[in-house]
């Protein structure tokens, strides 16, 4: 079943007006690149979005959803089920695990601490966590931009997706245990030499938050982001295994072709913590990224630091816990992708924060599902300008978007 509708309400209008009160921040570009004028946004292509979600389900996801917040209007599109056992239809109000979208939340907390003078981005991590890392040259900036060279321990942990997941589903790790797993392997590059996505970096980010503030990351997320923005459906519950309230079940595709998907909904996500354990909804993620790009969460200089991007490939760049993607119509969007067992998430907004998209498929370990879900960006931001074929050629999927584990080809 596919549904697509547009709605507005007094509450949404109030949120939109509060966001409009903050001036937009211009995004810095890579050295030598000329800044481009902001392009006028066409209306979202709701029929195109419905077609993409239909394809996501046809590729193997039980359900898929997309929510576009355009300031005064909200567009909701869904297809398929949230729960294969009961057959309940998925809705855009369902809670889900956001995976690596968590990294932006962690980065925001550290940028706020930098704004408060409690942290220096170019200081060695070992200044705040003495003796943690084997190289004093690794800075906070290197960690937040995936330029530390620290090996991603999840490459080994989830080399076999299902058995790896089952071995850690109910396990509780300390941050130090996860870092130690990384340090058992050689580093991927010298500090600052190259971009190399690693969950280890944002485990270190969580340790920094807790050492500097004296509080757990849950407290800092809640006090600095969740409560101020009114994110009523966003939680950090580690190490609890249950998603509270109405939620989409998440299904992990088996490593063997044809085998039944594994319901991966209940888990500690302790293997990720500050790198990937937040639970949220499409509404809350739209609100979060819009607020971030409108300058509501950091100072103007803090946001500028987040937007100092390193090129990853022809269409993707990475800043500090923040991705930038360039779409086929010339529009750039800012946000993050997320993969955790059972869930793929795309959450992006325009550089002025005026239009935001969150899209979810409740499946993982499936490259066909992931590649198709990526196509939601085009109808959301480019409207009918971009045909599906153009979206497929302009939206490559990088391996670093999909940690843990490369998805099995279907």
């Amino acid at each position: 079943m596919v549904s697509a509708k547009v709605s507005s309400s007094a509450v949404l209008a109030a949120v939109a007006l509060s966001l409009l009160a903050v001036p937009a921040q211009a995004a810095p570009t890579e050295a030598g690149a000329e800044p481009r004028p902001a392009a006028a946004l066409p209306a979202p292509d709701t029929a195109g979005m419905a077609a993409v979600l239909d394809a996501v389900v046809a590729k193997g996801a039980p359900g898929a959803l997309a929510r576009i917040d355009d300031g005064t209007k909200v567009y909701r599109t869904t297809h398929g089920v949230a729960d294969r056992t009961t057959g309940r239809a998925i809705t855009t109000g369902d809670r889900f695990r956001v995976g690596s979208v968590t990294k932006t939340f962690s980065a925001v907390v550290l940028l706020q601490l930098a704004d408060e003078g409690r942290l220096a981005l170019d200081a060695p991590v070992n200044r705040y966590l003495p003796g943690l890392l084997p190289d004093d040259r690794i800075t906070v900036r290197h960690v937040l931009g995936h330029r530390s060279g620290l090996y991603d321990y999840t490459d080994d942990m989830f080399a076999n997706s299902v058995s790896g997941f089952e071995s850690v589903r109910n396990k509780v790790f300390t941050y130090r245990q996860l870092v130690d797993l990384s340090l058992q392997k050689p580093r991927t590059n010298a500090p600052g030499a190259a971009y190399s996505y690693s969950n280890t970096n944002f485990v270190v980010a969580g340790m920094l938050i807790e050492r500097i503030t004296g509080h757990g990351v849950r407290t800092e997320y809640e006090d600095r982001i969740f409560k101020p923005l009114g994110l009523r459906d966003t939680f950090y519950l580690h190490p609890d295994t249950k998603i509270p309230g109405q939620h989409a079940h998440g299904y992990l595709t088996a490593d063997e072709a044809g085998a039944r998907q594994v319901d991966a909904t209940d888990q500690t996500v302790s293997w990720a913590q500050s790198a990937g354990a937040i639970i949220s909804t499409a509404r809350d993620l739209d609100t979060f990224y819009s607020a971030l790009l409108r300058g509501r969460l950091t100072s103007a200089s803090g946001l500028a630091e987040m937007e100092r991007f390193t090129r990853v490939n022809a269409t993707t760049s990475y800043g500090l816990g923040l991705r930038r993607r360039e779409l086929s119509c010339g529009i750039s969007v800012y946000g993050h992708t997320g993969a955790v067992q059972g869930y793929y998430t795309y959450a992006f907004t325009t550089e002025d924060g005026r239009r935001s998209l969150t899209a979810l498929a409740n499946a993982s370990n499936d490259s066909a599902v992931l590649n198709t879900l990526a196509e939601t960006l085009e109808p959301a931001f480019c409207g009918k300008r971009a045909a599906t074929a153009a979206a497929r050629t302009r939206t490559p999927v990088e391996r670093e978007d999909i940690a843990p584990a490369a998805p099995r080809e279907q």
Side-chain angles (χ1 to χ4, degrees), residues 41-333:
L41 288 178
D45 178 6
T46 55
M49 183 66 74
V52 171
L53 297 192
D54 179 68
V56 168
V57 173
K59 297 291 186 182
L65 65 87
R67 182 186 187 275
I68 303 169
D69 190 331
D70 209 18
T72 58
K73 293 181 180 180
V74 173
Y75 303 80
R76 299 178 177 90
T77 310
T78 63
H79 189 95
V81 299
D83 186 334
R84 294 184 62 178
T85 300
T86 66
R88 181 179 70 81
I90 199 167
T91 76
T92 56
D94 286 341
R95 296 168 179 168
F96 54 87
R97 300 191 184 279
V98 307
S100 287
V101 173
T102 302
K103 291 178 171 66
T104 310
F105 287 82
S106 296
V108 165
V109 173
L110 288 174
L111 266 295
Q112 290 182 355
L113 292 171
D115 284 340
E116 295 162 12
R118 302 167 69 182
L119 174 79
L121 292 176
D122 293 310
V125 169
N126 284 348
R127 175 185 298 179
Y128 307 103
L129 298 166
L132 176 69
L133 302 181
D135 193 330
D136 286 340
R137 295 176 298 166
I138 299 174
T139 67
V140 177
R141 186 187 302 278
H142 292 152
V143 165
L144 293 180
H146 294 296
R147 295 172 62 83
S148 68
L150 294 172
Y151 180 81
D152 190 345
Y153 59 87
T154 67
D155 286 349
D156 295 329
M157 187 177 285
F158 302 119
N160 294 306
S161 298
V162 175
S163 61
F165 166 65
E166 294 293 1
S167 71
V168 300
R169 179 197 279 260
N170 296 304
K171 192 168 183 178
V172 178
F173 293 93
T174 65
Y175 282 131
R176 186 59 192 249
Q177 286 174 325
L178 296 175
V179 172
D180 286 346
L181 288 175
S182 169
L183 296 181
Q184 291 173 11
K185 294 296 184 73
R187 279 171 281 160
T188 57
N189 51 258
Y195 169 88
S196 180
Y197 190 95
S198 173
N199 285 287
T200 308
N201 289 313
F202 278 80
V203 170
V204 174
M207 297 178 77
L208 286 166
I209 291 168
E210 297 196 347
R211 174 61 62 88
I212 292 167
T213 66
H215 302 139
V217 293
R218 178 190 301 183
T219 297
E220 295 302 311
Y221 292 150
E222 289 176 349
D223 291 349
R224 293 173 176 273
I225 305 174
F226 300 172
K227 292 176 183 176
L229 293 183
L231 307 185
R232 62 178 180 265
D233 294 308
T234 304
F235 309 92
Y236 182 83
L237 301 178
H238 175 265
D240 291 354
T241 61
K242 300 289 186 181
I243 300 177
Q246 180 176 299
H247 59 274
H249 283 240
Y251 297 91
L252 176 63
T253 302
D255 295 312
E256 302 79 23
R260 185 175 179 80
Q261 292 175 323
V262 175
D263 188 327
T265 310
D266 294 347
Q267 56 170 305
T268 62
V269 201
S270 192
W271 62 265
Q273 299 186 53
S274 51
I278 283 177
I279 296 162
S280 192
T281 61
R283 171 197 172 274
D284 280 5
L285 293 185
D286 282 349
T287 300
F288 169 64
Y289 278 110
S290 180
L292 174 60
L293 269 292
R294 291 186 178 216
R296 293 187 61 198
L297 291 173
T298 68
S299 66
S301 60
L303 181 58
E305 294 291 352
M306 293 188 77
E307 294 178 329
R308 290 177 63 179
F309 292 103
T310 296
R311 179 68 69 176
V312 174
N313 62 31
T315 60
T316 305
S317 301
Y318 203 93
L320 302 184
L322 189 68
R323 289 194 183 280
R324 184 181 69 196
R325 286 184 178 251
E326 297 162 15
L327 304 181
S328 64
C329 56
I331 292 171
S332 293
V333 291

